[in-house]
Amino acid sequence: MWPGATSDLTAYSQTKLYQLVKDGKLPDWAIILMDQIYSSLGGQHLTPFGKQDLERVKRVNKPLYLKMSVFNHLLCSMRVTVERALGQLVRRFLLIASVIEVSYTRVPLLATTCAVLHNIGVERWLADGKPGRGVYGPEAYELIDVGGPCAN
């Protein structure tokens, strides 16, 4: 457990996940979506392009700049979706919002159980005729707004 003044980067660099990435022990297909603050980590950490990089490219290569901007938007959209899902889990299962006195070996089972129960609840909500929100899949790319709230 780290004090509140500890940076996220420092705390993350002490985790088992970070050590697995650093040692090259994650599968090749595994990618970890992160904030710009983690851009120095490299490897399987995927971060958005920084504002300075975007501005530099914008001056010399407008098509590349647009591609980089869309990449940033998509990356941010994926991260926001994951963060929203985690927020829903925490609100639905207050148990995971606080310190849980359970062996760390049982955490994956606890997380999976919460996710499955959450998905059952969402499926029942949709089956009751409640509208789904958002557009997903290939048709979503037509709706990309490069200047949206996630843009750098």
Side-chain angles (χ1 to χ4, degrees):
M1 186 68 111
W2 287 91
T6 304
S7 76
D8 290 347
L9 184 57
T10 300
Y12 174 65
S13 68
Q14 303 299 312
T15 65
K16 184 170 182 154
L17 176 61
Y18 175 75
Q19 197 60 48
L20 290 171
V21 173
K22 188 176 166 189
D23 294 342
K25 293 185 178 177
L26 282 184
D28 291 340
W29 54 263
I31 302 285
I32 303 170
L33 306 180
M34 310 204 77
D35 278 336
Q36 176 65 31
I37 190 72
Y38 300 96
S39 63
S40 63
L41 297 177
Q44 290 171 274
H45 300 99
L46 193 58
T47 61
F49 294 102
K51 287 183 182 182
Q52 291 178 347
D53 293 330
L54 287 170
E55 288 301 318
R56 183 177 42 80
V57 170
K58 184 178 183 179
R59 289 191 295 270
V60 297
N61 190 339
K62 184 78 170 184
L64 179 58
Y65 163 76
L66 292 174
K67 288 179 182 180
M68 291 168 67
S69 295
V70 168
F71 170 83
N72 276 6
H73 180 78
L74 290 173
L75 182 65
C76 180
S77 296
M78 285 185 266
R79 286 189 54 253
V80 166
T81 300
V82 170
E83 289 173 6
R84 187 179 309 123
L86 291 174
Q88 289 175 354
L89 279 175
V90 169
R91 281 190 308 280
R92 182 169 279 188
F93 302 100
L94 293 177
L95 166 77
I96 59 178
S98 59
V99 176
I100 305 170
E101 300 216 7
V102 63
S103 169
Y104 74 92
T105 60
R106 301 186 131 235
V107 170
L109 177 62
L110 179 63
T112 302
T113 302
C114 290
V116 168
L117 290 172
H118 172 76
N119 288 343
I120 290 170
V122 169
E123 286 176 10
R124 287 189 177 171
W125 184 74
L126 291 173
D128 287 343
K130 305 294 192 264
R133 293 179 53 190
V135 177
Y136 304 98
E139 63 275 11
Y141 293 108
E142 297 173 11
L143 303 175
I144 294 171
D145 175 17
V146 174
C150 294
N152 276 338

